[in-house]
Amino acid sequence: MLRRFVIHEPRAVEEASALLEAHGPEAAIYAGGTELLVVMKEGLAHFPHLINIKTIPGLDTIEASDGMLRIGALATHRAIERSPVVRDAAPVLAELEAQIANIRVRSTGTIGGNLCFAEPHSDPATLLVAWDATLRLTSRRGTRDIPAESFFTGLLETAREHDEVLTEIRIPLPPARAGTAYERFKTHERPTATVAAVVRLNGGTIEEARLAVGSVGPRPHRLRGVEAMLTGQRPDADLFAAAAERAAADAEVIEERFESVDYKRHLVQVLSARALATATQRAHPRETGGD
Amino acid sequence: MIDRLDTRETESVPATGEAATTIRLETVVNGRPVSAEIEPRTLLLDFLRDRLGLTGAKRSCDVQVCGVCTVLLDGKPVSACSTLAYEAHGREVLTIEGLARFGELHPIQQAFMERTAIQCGFCTPGMILTTKALLDENPRPTREEIAAYLGGNLCRCTGYWMIIEAVEHAARLMAGEEDRS
């Protein structure tokens, strides 16, 4: 049984921000509710004021223009999965969204809620970190854009201030000769390990590589040591094997009930090698037919 | 911000600042308009079961994993155990009780019977409603698409093989390609 609360229905982001400010720690933003209501039902948290931001128009828009894919924070996983704009501009994200939880969670859960809850076993978070996406936060004090990697500060913790509303996820579309791959492994509801790789080629060498790992630790993060060892190199299986070994060693990993640190590092190694190979293959659109 | 649930609290003695306020819910359940005063905290599952007596959707895992509480909200499958009744305001709810019309089973129900896709029946309302959402959106799904769409509805006795066959059979029945046997 849930404890009692009232639901507020703001019509604008500024109004939601004012309500958050007025009610302080007694207020929580309510969107899809797929995480929040479960936590409240379990009695792990109680908020006497829920601010339903679904009554604010225009926060679920998905559009791509000027090399940027913009996804409103209230877009559901299902809407993103089925969006022709996402399928065309960022098919890896559409495939990722189709794998989240189950059809009921995807029908109601929003990408903004997924990111703001900062449960570390998040699929989109890892990919957005690899893509250098930025998250737009708005309050009565103004608007700021924050890189996805800086947004996640720890287990269930983000850089969002209490009076801020996440309104938009901004993804710079990959330039030519760049490929993206996302790999995950799961044994139960949420992924145990998630890895995203972006590889950009110039001639026969790797001009830029980005590798992000998530789910295994408190927050998703880039592996810059691995990225540095890939840059300027010719892509081949030996290079990726060495990079994957380094990724396993460098990833921030925590022990969990059913997964040991060693097990998770092993997963990071396997998934990193796969992601780098696939991203490289997709960076050659003419030879492979694109992704 | 995060406090522990006070187990001494009971409904009759609400904690300070938790006075009961009610809101008006205007919804349509199985084609019938429903108007009720509810507390914002009322879960859709409790509203359907306790206020309307519609007990086809059941509480099981209570965390959106098993699918036994599945109902359709404006045609989309949701976990009624983790959805506020408030969300049904101005929208349409379909439960398993609303599928049969004029005493005749819906083709999906018929297909589940004909393919013996029911054993204990506990997961069946959720399976059938999820199948309806799938077939409304994708009338001829592949086996892989069926398995992916129904992946969040757990069955522990019938077996998924027969359920997937029943969904394929239902798709053919609804397309008028196969007569009911």
Side-chain angles (χ1 to χ4, degrees):
Chain A
M1 169 64 85
L2 286 160
R3 286 170 65 179
R4 292 195 171 102
F5 52 78
V6 294
I7 300 176
H8 300 266
E9 299 184 334
R11 302 295 302 172
V13 175
E14 292 70 23
E15 196 187 331
S17 175
L19 285 163
L20 287 164
E21 201 183 320
H23 296 290
E26 293 208 325
I29 296 174
Y30 167 64
T34 53
E35 303 278 19
L36 180 68
L37 293 179
V38 169
V39 166
M40 288 175 71
K41 280 198 309 182
E42 297 287 329
L44 298 170
H46 174 58
F47 302 98
H49 296 271
L50 296 192
I51 321 290
N52 181 11
I53 59 170
K54 296 195 297 299
T55 50
I56 303 173
L59 286 186
D60 61 353
T61 311
I62 300 174
E63 56 187 10
S65 61
D66 305 324
M68 181 82 76
L69 173 62
R70 290 183 295 275
I71 300 176
L74 286 185
T76 62
H77 299 298
R78 186 70 172 150
I80 298 168
E81 169 194 340
R82 292 170 65 77
S83 159
V85 173
V86 176
R87 286 183 177 202
D88 178 56
V92 175
L93 177 60
E95 288 161 26
L96 174 155
E97 290 285 348
Q99 298 180 69
I100 291 176
N102 57 55
I103 189 66
R104 301 178 305 281
V105 169
R106 291 200 296 280
S107 296
T108 48
T110 66
I111 189 164
N114 179 294
L115 300 175
C116 288
F117 192 65
E119 212 286 344
H121 306 88
S122 162
D123 290 281
T126 305
L127 180 60
L128 294 177
V129 165
W131 267 346
D132 264 347
T134 54
L135 308 186
R136 177 158 287 185
L137 297 165
T138 300
S139 70
R140 285 207 296 175
R141 295 172 289 126
T143 290
R144 63 180 177 130
D145 289 340
I146 183 165
E149 192 177 19
S150 318
F151 182 74
F152 302 103
T153 53
L155 192 77
L156 307 174
E157 284 176 359
T158 71
R160 184 180 71 83
E161 299 290 342
H162 182 69
D163 65 339
E164 287 181 313
V165 179
L166 172 64
T167 54
E168 190 173 84
I169 293 93
R170 302 166 66 83
I171 301 164
L173 291 174
R177 304 186 312 278
T180 299
Y182 176 72
E183 296 283 342
R184 77 205 289 260
F185 183 82
K186 75 171 197 121
T187 55
H188 35 91
E189 278 302 294
R190 300 177 194 258
T192 304
T194 51
V195 171
V198 180
V199 172
R200 187 155 53 90
L201 298 175
N202 189 1
T205 62
I206 297 173
E207 192 166 64
E208 185 191 7
R210 283 183 246 146
L211 191 67
V213 60
S215 304
V216 292
R219 61 192 199 98
H221 65 102
R222 295 256 302 269
L223 294 164
R224 290 193 167 70
V226 178
E227 295 173 2
M229 71 184 273
L230 291 163
T231 308
Q233 303 295 311
R234 295 188 71 81
D236 62 37
D238 289 344
L239 178 70
F240 293 155
E245 199 173 324
R246 172 83 185 266
D250 287 2
E252 194 184 347
V253 177
I254 49 174
E255 176 102 13
E256 286 184 86
R257 191 172 170 198
F258 296 115
E259 298 109 357
S260 68
V261 167
D262 283 351
Y263 176 63
K264 287 178 169 182
R265 289 200 191 282
H266 170 73
L267 290 176
V268 170
Q269 183 166 351
V270 172
L271 299 181
S272 295
R274 282 184 200 163
L276 287 167
T278 306
T280 302
Q281 194 184 34
R282 288 175 176 169
H284 294 285
R286 279 191 214 104
E287 290 152 49
T288 63
D291 62 358
Chain B
M1 182 192 299
I2 293 182
D3 58 5
R4 294 187 62 80
L5 180 70
D6 184 354
T7 50
R8 292 165 302 174
E9 182 192 329
T10 65
E11 270 213 85
S12 56
V13 189
T16 315
E18 291 194 14
T21 50
T22 60
I23 51 175
R24 193 88 200 149
L25 171 68
E26 305 278 351
T27 182
V28 173
V29 179
N30 297 336
R32 242 185 28 185
V34 172
S35 178
E37 288 290 326
I38 58 162
E39 280 193 62
R41 65 172 170 171
T42 308
L43 291 163
L44 182 57
L45 183 64
D46 296 322
F47 181 74
L48 294 171
R49 291 179 61 87
D50 301 341
R51 298 278 290 267
L52 303 185
L54 299 171
T55 55
K58 290 155 182 66
R59 173 169 279 118
S60 184
C61 79
D62 219 14
V63 291
Q64 296 226 48
V65 171
C66 75
V68 166
C69 68
T70 304
V71 300
L72 303 189
L73 192 54
D74 277 352
K76 289 183 189 164
V78 300
S79 303
C81 77
S82 301
T83 302
L84 298 177
Y86 158 86
E87 292 292 341
H89 186 75
R91 299 165 80 183
E92 291 196 25
V93 181
L94 182 70
T95 75
I96 192 68
E97 291 88 347
L99 265 189
R101 283 294 156 100
F102 309 112
E104 191 175 347
L105 291 180
H106 188 281
I108 300 172
Q109 295 172 304
Q110 192 71 29
F112 269 64
M113 283 175 56
E114 288 171 6
R115 289 295 183 269
T116 326
I118 302 173
Q119 194 165 300
C120 85
F122 196 74
C123 72
T124 310
M127 286 287 179
I128 288 178
L129 288 168
T130 306
T131 300
K132 180 164 193 316
L134 166 66
L135 296 181
D136 285 348
E137 180 181 294
N138 179 2
R140 292 313 297 265
T142 63
R143 287 181 81 85
E144 290 70 29
E145 285 169 337
I146 295 167
Y149 204 94
L150 292 179
N153 287 75
L154 305 186
C155 168
R156 286 291 175 263
C157 66
T158 306
Y160 298 107
W161 191 259
M162 311 233 263
I163 291 170
I164 290 171
E165 291 202 335
V167 176
E168 289 185 305
H169 182 43
R172 289 190 294 266
L173 285 179
M174 287 167 77
E177 291 168 21
E178 226 169 85
D179 287 336
R180 294 176 182 204
S181 54

PDB file of all heavy atoms in Angstrom, chain A residues 27-41:
ATOM      1  N   ALA A  27       8.940  16.616  -2.354  1.00  0.00           N
ATOM      2  CA  ALA A  27       8.419  16.519  -3.714  1.00  0.00           C
ATOM      3  C   ALA A  27       9.326  15.679  -4.599  1.00  0.00           C
ATOM      4  O   ALA A  27      10.548  15.692  -4.452  1.00  0.00           O
ATOM      5  CB  ALA A  27       8.275  17.919  -4.323  1.00  0.00           C
ATOM      6  N   ALA A  28       8.693  14.946  -5.516  1.00  0.00           N
ATOM      7  CA  ALA A  28       9.451  14.201  -6.519  1.00  0.00           C
ATOM      8  C   ALA A  28       8.765  14.383  -7.859  1.00  0.00           C
ATOM      9  O   ALA A  28       7.537  14.511  -7.932  1.00  0.00           O
ATOM     10  CB  ALA A  28       9.514  12.719  -6.169  1.00  0.00           C
ATOM     11  N   ILE A  29       9.576  14.392  -8.920  1.00  0.00           N
ATOM     12  CA  ILE A  29       9.013  14.438 -10.264  1.00  0.00           C
ATOM     13  C   ILE A  29       8.430  13.063 -10.582  1.00  0.00           C
ATOM     14  O   ILE A  29       9.053  12.035 -10.314  1.00  0.00           O
ATOM     15  CB  ILE A  29      10.102  14.814 -11.292  1.00  0.00           C
ATOM     16  CG1 ILE A  29      10.620  16.233 -11.024  1.00  0.00           C
ATOM     17  CG2 ILE A  29       9.564  14.682 -12.717  1.00  0.00           C
ATOM     18  CD1 ILE A  29      11.796  16.627 -11.891  1.00  0.00           C
ATOM     19  N   TYR A  30       7.229  13.080 -11.134  1.00  0.00           N
ATOM     20  CA  TYR A  30       6.544  11.843 -11.502  1.00  0.00           C
ATOM     21  C   TYR A  30       6.326  11.858 -13.010  1.00  0.00           C
ATOM     22  O   TYR A  30       5.679  12.754 -13.542  1.00  0.00           O
ATOM     23  CB  TYR A  30       5.210  11.772 -10.744  1.00  0.00           C
ATOM     24  CG  TYR A  30       4.232  10.731 -11.232  1.00  0.00           C
ATOM     25  CD1 TYR A  30       4.519   9.379 -11.153  1.00  0.00           C
ATOM     26  CD2 TYR A  30       3.001  11.124 -11.756  1.00  0.00           C
ATOM     27  CE1 TYR A  30       3.610   8.434 -11.591  1.00  0.00           C
ATOM     28  CE2 TYR A  30       2.078  10.180 -12.185  1.00  0.00           C
ATOM     29  CZ  TYR A  30       2.389   8.837 -12.106  1.00  0.00           C
ATOM     30  OH  TYR A  30       1.489   7.911 -12.546  1.00  0.00           O
ATOM     31  N   ALA A  31       6.906  10.866 -13.696  1.00  0.00           N
ATOM     32  CA  ALA A  31       6.695  10.780 -15.150  1.00  0.00           C
ATOM     33  C   ALA A  31       6.068   9.416 -15.440  1.00  0.00           C
ATOM     34  O   ALA A  31       4.895   9.205 -15.160  1.00  0.00           O
ATOM     35  CB  ALA A  31       8.007  10.994 -15.885  1.00  0.00           C
ATOM     36  N   GLY A  32       6.852   8.449 -15.937  1.00  0.00           N
ATOM     37  CA  GLY A  32       6.284   7.127 -16.198  1.00  0.00           C
ATOM     38  C   GLY A  32       5.950   6.375 -14.915  1.00  0.00           C
ATOM     39  O   GLY A  32       5.052   5.531 -14.894  1.00  0.00           O
ATOM     40  N   GLY A  33       6.692   6.655 -13.863  1.00  0.00           N
ATOM     41  CA  GLY A  33       6.423   6.017 -12.564  1.00  0.00           C
ATOM     42  C   GLY A  33       6.942   4.595 -12.452  1.00  0.00           C
ATOM     43  O   GLY A  33       6.746   3.953 -11.417  1.00  0.00           O
ATOM     44  N   THR A  34       7.622   4.097 -13.489  1.00  0.00           N
ATOM     45  CA  THR A  34       8.016   2.688 -13.457  1.00  0.00           C
ATOM     46  C   THR A  34       9.065   2.409 -12.379  1.00  0.00           C
ATOM     47  O   THR A  34       9.131   1.300 -11.852  1.00  0.00           O
ATOM     48  CB  THR A  34       8.551   2.210 -14.824  1.00  0.00           C
ATOM     49  OG1 THR A  34       9.584   3.090 -15.249  1.00  0.00           O
ATOM     50  CG2 THR A  34       7.459   2.193 -15.865  1.00  0.00           C
ATOM     51  N   GLU A  35       9.887   3.382 -12.050  1.00  0.00           N
ATOM     52  CA  GLU A  35      10.852   3.212 -10.959  1.00  0.00           C
ATOM     53  C   GLU A  35      10.276   3.790  -9.667  1.00  0.00           C
ATOM     54  O   GLU A  35      10.307   3.150  -8.615  1.00  0.00           O
ATOM     55  CB  GLU A  35      12.168   3.945 -11.278  1.00  0.00           C
ATOM     56  CG  GLU A  35      12.834   3.521 -12.570  1.00  0.00           C
ATOM     57  CD  GLU A  35      13.676   2.255 -12.443  1.00  0.00           C
ATOM     58  OE1 GLU A  35      13.480   1.484 -11.477  1.00  0.00           O
ATOM     59  OE2 GLU A  35      14.527   2.039 -13.320  1.00  0.00           O
ATOM     60  N   LEU A  36       9.747   5.016  -9.751  1.00  0.00           N
ATOM     61  CA  LEU A  36       9.311   5.749  -8.557  1.00  0.00           C
ATOM     62  C   LEU A  36       8.235   5.001  -7.765  1.00  0.00           C
ATOM     63  O   LEU A  36       8.332   4.852  -6.547  1.00  0.00           O
ATOM     64  CB  LEU A  36       8.793   7.134  -8.970  1.00  0.00           C
ATOM     65  CG  LEU A  36       8.303   8.025  -7.824  1.00  0.00           C
ATOM     66  CD1 LEU A  36       9.468   8.441  -6.938  1.00  0.00           C
ATOM     67  CD2 LEU A  36       7.574   9.252  -8.357  1.00  0.00           C
ATOM     68  N   LEU A  37       7.198   4.521  -8.470  1.00  0.00           N
ATOM     69  CA  LEU A  37       6.088   3.895  -7.751  1.00  0.00           C
ATOM     70  C   LEU A  37       6.517   2.594  -7.090  1.00  0.00           C
ATOM     71  O   LEU A  37       6.043   2.249  -6.003  1.00  0.00           O
ATOM     72  CB  LEU A  37       4.893   3.666  -8.690  1.00  0.00           C
ATOM     73  CG  LEU A  37       4.223   4.946  -9.194  1.00  0.00           C
ATOM     74  CD1 LEU A  37       3.079   4.610 -10.140  1.00  0.00           C
ATOM     75  CD2 LEU A  37       3.710   5.801  -8.038  1.00  0.00           C
ATOM     76  N   VAL A  38       7.429   1.876  -7.733  1.00  0.00           N
ATOM     77  CA  VAL A  38       7.907   0.625  -7.131  1.00  0.00           C
ATOM     78  C   VAL A  38       8.681   0.935  -5.849  1.00  0.00           C
ATOM     79  O   VAL A  38       8.480   0.303  -4.811  1.00  0.00           O
ATOM     80  CB  VAL A  38       8.773  -0.173  -8.142  1.00  0.00           C
ATOM     81  CG1 VAL A  38       9.497  -1.315  -7.461  1.00  0.00           C
ATOM     82  CG2 VAL A  38       7.893  -0.716  -9.274  1.00  0.00           C
ATOM     83  N   VAL A  39       9.539   1.935  -5.902  1.00  0.00           N
ATOM     84  CA  VAL A  39      10.315   2.341  -4.722  1.00  0.00           C
ATOM     85  C   VAL A  39       9.373   2.804  -3.605  1.00  0.00           C
ATOM     86  O   VAL A  39       9.566   2.479  -2.437  1.00  0.00           O
ATOM     87  CB  VAL A  39      11.314   3.456  -5.111  1.00  0.00           C
ATOM     88  CG1 VAL A  39      11.894   4.133  -3.882  1.00  0.00           C
ATOM     89  CG2 VAL A  39      12.436   2.889  -5.966  1.00  0.00           C
ATOM     90  N   MET A  40       8.336   3.546  -3.963  1.00  0.00           N
ATOM     91  CA  MET A  40       7.392   4.042  -2.957  1.00  0.00           C
ATOM     92  C   MET A  40       6.539   2.900  -2.392  1.00  0.00           C
ATOM     93  O   MET A  40       6.235   2.871  -1.203  1.00  0.00           O
ATOM     94  CB  MET A  40       6.511   5.146  -3.554  1.00  0.00           C
ATOM     95  CG  MET A  40       7.288   6.448  -3.780  1.00  0.00           C
ATOM     96  SD  MET A  40       6.318   7.729  -4.623  1.00  0.00           S
ATOM     97  CE  MET A  40       5.133   8.195  -3.336  1.00  0.00           C
ATOM     98  N   LYS A  41       6.167   1.957  -3.241  1.00  0.00           N
ATOM     99  CA  LYS A  41       5.377   0.812  -2.761  1.00  0.00           C
ATOM    100  C   LYS A  41       6.183  -0.026  -1.780  1.00  0.00           C
ATOM    101  O   LYS A  41       5.650  -0.569  -0.818  1.00  0.00           O
ATOM    102  CB  LYS A  41       4.954  -0.082  -3.947  1.00  0.00           C
ATOM    103  CG  LYS A  41       3.764   0.438  -4.695  1.00  0.00           C
ATOM    104  CD  LYS A  41       3.104  -0.641  -5.548  1.00  0.00           C
ATOM    105  CE  LYS A  41       4.083  -1.365  -6.446  1.00  0.00           C
ATOM    106  NZ  LYS A  41       3.421  -2.366  -7.289  1.00  0.00           N
TER     107      LYS A  41
END
